[in-house]
Amino acid sequence: MGLADASGPRDTQALLSATQAMELRRRDYHMERPLLNQEHLEELGRWGSAPRTRQWRTWLQCSHARARALLLQHLPVLVWLPRYPVRDWLLGDLLSGMSVAIMQLPQGLAYAFLAGLPPVFGLYSSFYPVFVYFLFGTSRHISVGTFAVMSVMVGSVTESLAPQTLNDSPINETTRDADPVQVASTLSVLVGLFQVGLGLIHFGFLVTYLSEPLVRGYTTAAAVQVFVSQLKYVFGLHLSSHSGPLSLIYTVLEVCRKLPQSKVGTVVTAAVAGVVLVVVKLLNDKLQRQLPMPIPGELLMLIGATGISYGIGLRDGSEVDVVGNISAGLVPPVAPNTQLFSKLVGSAFTIAVVGFAIAISLGKIFALRHGYRVDSNQELVALGLSNLIGGIFQCFPVSCSMSRSLVQESTGGNSQVAGAISSLFILLIIVKLGELFRDLPKAVLAAIVIVNLKGMLRQLSDVCSLWKANRADLLIWLVTFAATILLNMDLGLMVAVVFSLLLVVVRTQMPHYSILGQVPDTDIYRDVTEYSEAKEVPGVKVFRSSATVYFANADFYSDALKQRCGVDVDFLISQKKKLLKKREQLKLKQLQKEEKLQKQAASSKGASVSINVNTSLEDMRSNNVEDCKVGPGDKMEDATANGQEDSKAPDGSTLKALGLPQPDFHSLILDLGALSFVDTVCLKSLKNIFQDFREIEVEVYMAACHSE
């Protein structure tokens, strides 16, 4: 119900004194439409429940059209590839694919070390998943493959289940079940199963519980984890394996303790490689418009460092560690070790959610920029199949890389063909050229990883921007960052999600409550504490909450309402009950006295009069006292009828007659426009509000109610 116009012209209201206005128990409201209750509205509009769409029936239908639709839905390459504009897009996709492959090669080698695996498995993870995504993916611009955040998450799992380090002994793929390669590939299969399963049951919305501040805080903390994990390669140190909570702190302390043992040649190699890479990236940023494609600084560094290392013989007895043997050719598929599933299930689910969150966020950004649609559920299936099939071929879990995706877009990539071309180039390197990089220093790969963290480490500036924009989002960012740093990647994400959801609950428990006033010469109502010119309608209070009312904040809503109205409702009700109880006690005493006098008069006259005093007393209590008592558990099932009975109560029971202060308003309007749902606790709270305010002679109305 709105308050567009108060009853009578405003001039008439101005002439009424405050006392006369409060004496009016009822007030007329002028409406531009008939006054309707919910029942009349439903009858007038012929309300009926909306027909329910039983989508599950269409899922069970079997027909040629249904089978074709499912095939095209889950294999989108059959939709876009026949329509591929070869003349317009092929050249751009070819150039883009070559540029991405040039970046993919050094990053694949480096991120394999980050995952605790031999470098060749980074090349495998840059081939199989990329080609699978070409067939099933819907984003035309993201570059699927190895990614620093995913690699460090995999590395934390391999370190905890297979603590052997690459520095101590080479990894044999046929060793016991705890072998890092087997752990990583089994983890990839399990991650893929989770993603495919969630995608098929349309759980792509699950990523919506990861807000942008949460994801940015998480990836920033992951960048710090990556940076710390590369320090042993930068300084040439042999560190103990740490996993679980506080593992990052233990690693930093151990690095600080062993710094005197650093190898000078390794430090110099990492420093020179890092400086060169930073200079090349600065040139690429400065000459972005003049260059047809970015200068492949990482590839040039890879070739140059390998050549120098081979020329001076770093592999033979030098203090600079090198990559070592890289096997040429592809490996046969290997079944995952199902005995590891129970140990990996928690980490696999976390990696599945994080990987999809990164991929879909980038995919939607590029889709919005270029005007096409990305299917979140199909993306989940595509990424899951990439990890599932890749895990069978001994890859570790992958997602998409922001840096490579930007390069793929900026160099003219138009479709998934660019990804397929890059995977074919990686295949050529695996088969023929991979073994040439066996003399590559590990310090160079560490430098490549650290320099590529620049974008994620820049997110530390979010603290300043969120401080100005939204303190609650800043709190989510800080808690996510701290939890991920202290508790490791999987527990950190869990704590971050739980905290962000609890913060939503807390914010709904403490919404903004306001009393509304009318802005002059308009029908707009705003908070009187924020708008100095907004004036309350005389005798009317309009109360609004900025959040829905439910079990977690129903009591806060009632308390805030009574406080904002400026009336101690509970005190008035208790005083009214006490006075009415005293009045009834006086009436009962007077009645007893009269009955005693009647008895004495009857006995003196010799007449025998039988008076049932107990019955009279009980009748009085039932007729008078019980009507004035309201128990805490009473319901307002007949609120309208009770209000009518109150209005017809004798004048002796009013607040004025009892000598109690009267509220300065006669009508209370609850603006319920913010209610998105209603539970039983909300209903009971509203009924108690109706009852309490009618006890103090204030009529309660509800406005902006939703039908459902």
Side-chain angles (χ1 to χ4, degrees):
M1 171 180 177
L3 253 189
D5 295 308
S7 67
R10 295 184 180 276
D11 295 337
T12 305
Q13 288 185 1
L15 295 175
L16 292 175
S17 65
T19 305
Q20 290 174 329
M22 290 308 305
E23 289 294 335
L24 297 175
R25 291 287 299 122
R26 297 287 182 181
R27 200 172 182 89
D28 297 330
Y29 292 91
H30 290 288
M31 307 290 295
E32 296 183 0
R33 59 167 176 78
L35 183 62
L36 302 174
N37 58 23
Q38 186 66 27
E39 182 180 356
H40 292 160
L41 179 62
E42 292 175 359
E43 182 180 355
L44 180 63
R46 295 182 180 180
W47 175 85
S49 58
R52 296 183 178 181
T53 57
R54 303 183 184 275
Q55 192 174 5
W56 59 271
R57 290 184 176 179
T58 60
W59 295 346
L60 300 178
Q61 291 178 355
C62 295
S63 64
H64 177 75
R66 176 65 178 162
R68 185 175 183 276
L70 283 175
L71 180 63
L72 296 180
Q73 178 184 354
H74 294 297
L75 197 60
V77 68
L78 298 179
V79 177
W80 62 264
L81 190 59
R83 306 173 185 173
Y84 182 77
V86 177
R87 293 184 178 180
D88 298 332
W89 284 9
L90 183 59
L91 183 60
D93 284 338
L94 182 62
L95 180 62
S96 176
M98 293 176 60
S99 303
V100 171
I102 290 172
M103 290 186 66
Q104 189 95 275
L105 170 61
Q107 290 185 5
L109 296 172
Y111 293 159
F113 271 110
L114 195 57
L117 304 172
V120 69
F121 292 96
L123 298 180
Y124 296 155
S125 301
S126 301
F127 167 63
Y128 290 106
V130 177
F131 194 80
V132 172
Y133 185 84
F134 159 74
L135 300 174
F136 296 95
T138 60
S139 176
R140 303 203 307 249
H141 293 89
I142 66 172
S143 174
V144 172
T146 56
F147 183 51
V149 174
M150 301 289 287
S151 298
V152 76
M153 295 178 75
V154 175
S156 65
V157 176
T158 56
E159 282 190 8
S160 62
L161 295 181
Q164 298 91 345
T165 61
L166 295 178
N167 296 323
D168 297 335
S169 61
I171 289 181
N172 183 0
E173 298 173 15
T174 61
T175 56
R176 64 187 185 277
D177 294 341
D179 179 75
V181 175
Q182 192 173 41
V183 170
S185 60
T186 303
L187 179 64
S188 182
V189 170
L190 199 54
V191 168
L193 289 175
F194 273 123
Q195 291 176 332
V196 172
L198 292 174
L200 290 178
I201 61 176
H202 290 203
F203 259 53
F205 70 89
L206 195 65
V207 74
T208 58
Y209 292 104
L210 304 179
S211 64
E212 183 180 0
L214 187 150
V215 173
R216 292 178 70 87
Y218 186 79
T219 52
T220 306
V224 175
Q225 296 256 16
V226 172
F227 177 81
V228 172
S229 69
Q230 295 304 295
L231 293 179
K232 61 181 180 181
Y233 300 116
V234 172
F235 295 104
L237 302 175
H238 295 272
L239 304 179
S240 303
S241 177
H242 300 286
S243 61
L246 301 180
S247 60
L248 183 72
I249 307 299
Y250 295 143
T251 302
V252 172
L253 293 177
E254 187 177 2
V255 168
C256 295
R257 189 171 62 251
K258 292 186 175 181
L259 271 181
Q261 305 174 14
S262 300
K263 298 178 181 178
V264 178
T266 302
V267 175
V268 171
T269 302
V272 172
V275 170
V276 172
L277 288 173
V278 169
V279 171
V280 172
K281 286 186 177 293
L282 291 176
L283 287 176
N284 283 332
D285 293 339
K286 190 172 183 179
L287 304 176
Q288 183 177 5
R289 295 183 178 180
Q290 287 79 17
L291 295 174
M293 62 177 291
I295 301 173
E298 295 170 343
L299 180 62
L300 295 178
M301 175 59 63
L302 226 64
I303 297 173
T306 303
I308 294 173
S309 174
Y310 178 78
I312 63 178
L314 289 181
R315 189 179 183 187
D316 302 326
S318 173
E319 62 178 9
V320 178
D321 294 330
V322 296
V323 169
N325 291 327
I326 298 178
S327 58
L330 300 175
V331 294
V334 177
N337 183 5
T338 56
Q339 295 179 355
L340 292 174
F341 279 7
S342 60
K343 299 178 182 179
L344 298 175
V345 62
S347 299
F349 184 79
T350 303
I351 294 174
V353 173
V354 172
F356 174 63
I358 295 170
I360 194 62
S361 59
L362 280 177
K364 287 186 175 181
I365 290 173
F366 289 118
L368 184 63
R369 185 181 300 175
H370 294 276
Y372 62 91
R373 180 179 176 273
V374 171
D375 186 346
S376 59
N377 292 309
Q378 180 57 29
E379 283 295 293
L380 194 52
V381 172
L383 199 60
L385 288 174
S386 298
N387 283 313
L388 178 61
I389 298 175
I392 296 174
F393 287 93
Q394 304 203 0
C395 302
F396 56 88
V398 299
S399 182
C400 74
S401 167
M402 181 181 294
S403 59
R404 293 198 308 271
S405 299
L406 291 173
V407 169
Q408 180 170 323
E409 181 203 28
S410 62
T411 53
N414 297 296
S415 69
Q416 295 91 321
V417 171
I421 292 173
S422 69
S423 67
L424 294 178
F425 272 97
I426 296 297
L427 175 62
L428 177 63
I429 294 171
I430 293 173
V431 175
K432 295 293 184 182
L433 305 177
E435 57 184 355
L436 298 179
F437 294 102
R438 60 185 179 182
D439 292 313
L440 176 67
K442 293 180 181 179
V444 173
L445 294 178
I448 292 175
V449 171
I450 292 174
V451 171
N452 280 312
L453 295 176
K454 179 185 66 173
M456 287 189 288
L457 291 177
R458 277 182 177 177
Q459 294 175 163
L460 288 169
S461 61
D462 289 352
V463 175
C464 298
S465 59
L466 290 176
W467 175 265
K468 299 176 182 178
N470 193 307
R471 305 285 174 84
D473 285 346
L474 173 61
L475 189 60
I476 293 175
W477 195 100
L478 292 175
V479 170
T480 303
F481 181 82
T484 306
I485 291 292
L486 298 176
L487 302 179
N488 218 339
M489 306 288 287
D490 48 358
L491 292 177
L493 180 64
M494 187 183 305
V495 170
V497 172
V498 171
F499 177 80
S500 62
L501 294 179
L502 286 178
L503 188 60
V504 172
V505 175
V506 171
R507 293 174 75 177
T508 59
Q509 284 185 312
M510 297 183 294
H512 178 66
Y513 299 109
S514 56
I515 295 293
L516 304 184
Q518 188 176 22
V519 179
D521 302 324
T522 69
D523 59 353
I524 299 174
Y525 289 80
R526 291 293 182 265
D527 188 352
V528 295
T529 62
E530 297 177 354
Y531 292 77
S532 58
E533 292 298 321
K535 304 298 180 183
E536 297 182 41
V537 177
V540 177
K541 293 282 186 182
V542 184
F543 180 75
R544 173 186 291 171
S545 169
S546 63
T548 189
V549 183
Y550 67 113
F551 69 91
N553 64 358
D555 291 337
F556 296 104
Y557 182 86
S558 300
D559 295 340
L561 170 62
K562 295 173 182 178
Q563 181 182 1
R564 295 294 195 282
C565 289
V567 178
D568 194 341
V569 178
D570 297 329
F571 175 76
L572 284 180
I573 293 175
S574 63
Q575 289 296 109
K576 180 179 179 180
K577 290 181 179 180
K578 288 180 181 179
L579 292 176
L580 289 176
K581 186 176 181 180
K582 288 181 180 179
R583 177 177 293 182
E584 291 303 325
Q585 289 176 351
L586 291 176
K587 286 182 180 181
L588 291 175
K589 289 181 179 180
Q590 185 177 0
L591 180 59
Q592 290 175 353
K593 187 176 181 180
E594 291 176 356
E595 290 176 346
K596 187 176 181 181
L597 292 175
Q598 290 177 3
K599 283 183 179 181
Q600 292 176 355
S603 61
S604 63
K605 293 179 181 179
S608 177
V609 180
S610 177
I611 301 175
N612 192 335
V613 179
N614 292 332
T615 304
S616 300
L617 292 176
E618 293 297 329
D619 291 341
M620 289 299 298
R621 290 191 180 94
S622 61
N623 293 332
N624 298 319
V625 178
E626 293 298 328
D627 289 340
C628 300
K629 292 183 178 180
V630 181
D634 291 344
K635 303 291 188 284
M636 285 297 295
E637 306 296 340
D638 301 318
T640 306
N642 291 342
Q644 293 175 353
E645 291 176 3
D646 291 343
S647 65
K648 297 177 182 179
D651 294 338
S653 62
T654 61
L655 295 176
K656 183 177 181 180
L658 294 172
L660 295 174
Q662 296 175 268
D664 59 352
F665 59 98
H666 56 76
S667 297
L668 171 65
I669 297 178
L670 304 178
D671 184 352
L672 303 180
L675 262 68
S676 57
F677 64 91
V678 176
D679 59 7
T680 56
V681 178
C682 172
L683 292 177
K684 291 179 181 179
S685 179
L686 291 176
K687 290 174 182 178
N688 289 333
I689 289 172
F690 270 77
Q691 180 173 338
D692 290 345
F693 277 90
R694 280 176 174 168
E695 283 286 335
I696 62 172
E697 302 164 16
V698 173
E699 292 296 327
V700 183
Y701 302 92
M702 295 187 296
C705 299
H706 302 289
S707 60
E708 294 183 3

